[in-house]
Amino acid sequence: MTLAAVSDAGPLIHLAEIGSLEPLSTFDTLLVPETVYEEVDAGGVPDGVADLSYELVEADESRVGTEELDAGERAAIAVAKEREVVLLTDDLAARETASDADVEVHGSIGVIALGYGRGLLDRDEAASRMRALQRETSLFVTEAVVERGIQMLDEQ
């Protein structure tokens, strides 16, 4: 099965903050809208992002009309809808907008779980990285969400 996804800035930044970008390689195709890349670049491209295999794509973010979202989130949702691929985002409003548009959504914790499911990480390493997202990054994630992610590992 071919896995394809488009990422907004959140997972690229948060996974890089814990040195854990490699689970993104579980996607056969990783798309990054130019708007998202510009957002990430403005803050200084995190270590490891340059080593990722991804395709920069153009997106018409005006097709996603919600003022709650920034241009990168709108661009990523537009690409996900247009290409029928998974959206990677850690933003709650973006997740809700995408879900309302029948787009499958995964956050950084889901990316780590996928890395475990595809044999890239062992269970303890995946659980440790999920906990690190909460403790060591700029991502706000509750203990309950982390524990649910770890429970997902045990259910695979």
Side-chain angles (χ1 to χ4, degrees), residues 36-101:
V36 169
Y37 187 84
E38 290 166 9
E39 284 179 7
V40 172
D41 189 41
V45 177
D47 290 341
V49 171
D51 299 329
L52 280 176
S53 177
Y54 61 89
E55 178 185 341
L56 277 179
V57 295
E58 290 184 22
D60 181 5
E61 65 259 19
S62 67
R63 294 179 52 211
V64 179
T66 178
E67 294 178 15
E68 303 180 352
L69 305 178
D70 67 29
E73 292 158 349
R74 290 192 312 269
I77 292 168
V79 170
K81 285 172 56 173
E82 179 182 310
R83 300 196 184 199
E84 298 181 350
V85 298
V86 174
L87 172 67
L88 304 179
T89 185
D90 291 319
D91 184 86
L92 183 59
R95 292 176 79 94
E96 290 172 352
T97 299
S99 293
D100 289 347

Side-chain angles (χ1 to χ4, degrees):
M1 178 173 88
T2 301
L3 285 178
V6 58
S7 185
D8 76 5
L12 297 174
I13 292 167
H14 301 129
L15 291 169
E17 287 175 327
I18 59 168
S20 190
L21 288 168
E22 70 273 13
L24 290 170
S25 69
T26 61
F27 293 99
D28 301 300
T29 303
L30 179 62
L31 306 171
V32 176
E34 291 174 351
T35 307
V36 169
Y37 187 84
E38 290 166 9
E39 284 179 7
V40 172
D41 189 41
V45 177
D47 290 341
V49 171
D51 299 329
L52 280 176
S53 177
Y54 61 89
E55 178 185 341
L56 277 179
V57 295
E58 290 184 22
D60 181 5
E61 65 259 19
S62 67
R63 294 179 52 211
V64 179
T66 178
E67 294 178 15
E68 303 180 352
L69 305 178
D70 67 29
E73 292 158 349
R74 290 192 312 269
I77 292 168
V79 170
K81 285 172 56 173
E82 179 182 310
R83 300 196 184 199
E84 298 181 350
V85 298
V86 174
L87 172 67
L88 304 179
T89 185
D90 291 319
D91 184 86
L92 183 59
R95 292 176 79 94
E96 290 172 352
T97 299
S99 293
D100 289 347
D102 294 323
V103 171
E104 183 178 345
V105 183
H106 294 286
S108 294
I109 286 180
V111 171
I112 292 171
L114 181 63
Y116 167 74
R118 298 213 68 194
L120 194 63
L121 304 168
D122 68 32
R123 187 228 178 262
D124 291 340
E125 189 173 18
S128 174
R129 291 181 187 199
M130 287 179 184
R131 288 187 179 102
L133 280 170
Q134 181 184 31
R135 291 189 315 266
E136 301 170 22
T137 72
S138 58
L139 175 63
F140 173 76
V141 61
T142 66
E143 183 72 26
V145 170
V146 171
E147 292 307 315
R148 177 63 187 119
I150 293 169
Q151 185 180 4
M152 286 171 28
L153 300 176
D154 296 333
E155 293 170 357
Q156 289 189 35

